[in-house]
Amino acid sequence: MSLDQRAVDQRWLADLRASLAEDFATQTARLRELTELNADTGDPSEAHNRAALLVATRRNIEQITGALSRISAGTYGTCAKCRQNIPVERLEILPHAQFCVSCQAKQNG
């Protein structure tokens, strides 16, 4: 890898870290709003939707935290299963991806 490529990669990671930190703040605020919202309207579908939003928001926070941890540890972009590089195109679409496409397919069953 050339020096220019390493500089680009470092800038890309810095931009990604900033974007993930911003997403983390947004999701944390959303989680706070959802947990502070105690208005029980008696509508079961509303309660179900709120519960689903809580689960999804918590999952997003976990995924963002994991990606930030992998960036800090220097393992970001490496498949957690086979240890091969995860293609940049996949990481651009799913910045929290832990697995390459092949290992993710195996993981999903």
Side-chain angles (χ1 to χ4, degrees), residues 1 8 11 13 15-16 19-20 24 33 42 45 52 58 63 71 77 80 90 92 94 101 105-106:
M1 181 183 306
V8 167
R11 273 185 262 136
L13 272 178
D15 290 346
L16 177 63
S19 176
L20 287 168
F24 180 83
E33 288 173 15
S45 65
R58 286 184 177 122
Q63 291 172 337
I71 290 171
R90 177 168 171 77
E92 287 174 342
L94 292 170
V101 173
K106 292 174 191 170

Side-chain angles (χ1 to χ4, degrees), residues 20-83:
L20 287 168
E22 185 177 312
D23 288 347
F24 180 83
T26 301
Q27 293 297 317
T28 302
R30 181 179 186 193
L31 182 62
R32 189 174 16 260
E33 288 173 15
L34 288 168
T35 55
E36 290 174 356
L37 187 66
N38 288 324
D40 184 9
T41 63
D43 182 355
S45 65
E46 189 174 311
H48 176 73
N49 288 343
R50 185 171 164 270
L53 285 172
L54 280 167
V55 168
T57 302
R58 286 184 177 122
R59 185 177 343 109
N60 287 341
I61 290 171
E62 288 172 9
Q63 291 172 337
I64 293 165
T65 302
L68 288 168
S69 294
R70 289 189 298 281
I71 290 171
S72 294
T75 59
Y76 184 81
T78 302
C79 179
K81 191 117 177 146
C82 71
R83 303 290 182 220

Side-chain angles (χ1 to χ4, degrees), residues 77-87 90-91 97-108:
T78 302
C79 179
K81 191 117 177 146
C82 71
R83 303 290 182 220
Q84 297 297 314
N85 287 335
I86 299 171
R90 177 168 171 77
L91 294 171
Q98 296 182 61
F99 304 106
C100 66
V101 173
S102 176
C103 290
Q104 184 67 58
K106 292 174 191 170
Q107 192 80 1
N108 292 343

